[in-house]
Amino acid sequence: MLEQRKLWVNELGLNGNIIKELYANLVRYFIDEELKQFKNKENKDSLPYGLYQ
């Protein structure tokens, strides 16, 4: 996916490496955010009901 974005941008005469890095950072950020939510949900599921509400 990242290489394809880079190729598209290069075809437009722009710097594909910058866009590739931008997309890589976005993907990494959203994965990290989802992992935080998943871990937070796991922790809440392990607590007795009512302690996290």
Side-chain angles (χ1 to χ4, degrees):
M1 179 213 27
L2 297 175
E3 278 301 317
Q4 185 61 52
R5 278 21 178 211
K6 178 181 174 181
L7 292 173
W8 290 340
V9 172
N10 284 339
E11 289 172 3
L12 295 173
L14 302 170
N15 188 334
N17 288 324
I18 290 173
I19 298 303
K20 181 180 175 181
E21 185 176 338
L22 174 67
Y23 269 86
N25 288 335
L26 285 170
V27 168
R28 194 172 310 116
Y29 170 79
F30 284 112
I31 289 172
D32 288 345
E33 288 300 308
E34 286 189 35
L35 285 172
K36 284 180 200 174
Q37 290 179 5
F38 178 74
K39 289 176 184 176
N40 190 32
K41 182 180 180 338
E42 271 187 343
N43 289 339
K44 287 181 179 179
D45 288 346
S46 67
L47 292 173
Y49 180 76
L51 289 180
Y52 58 88
Q53 293 183 352

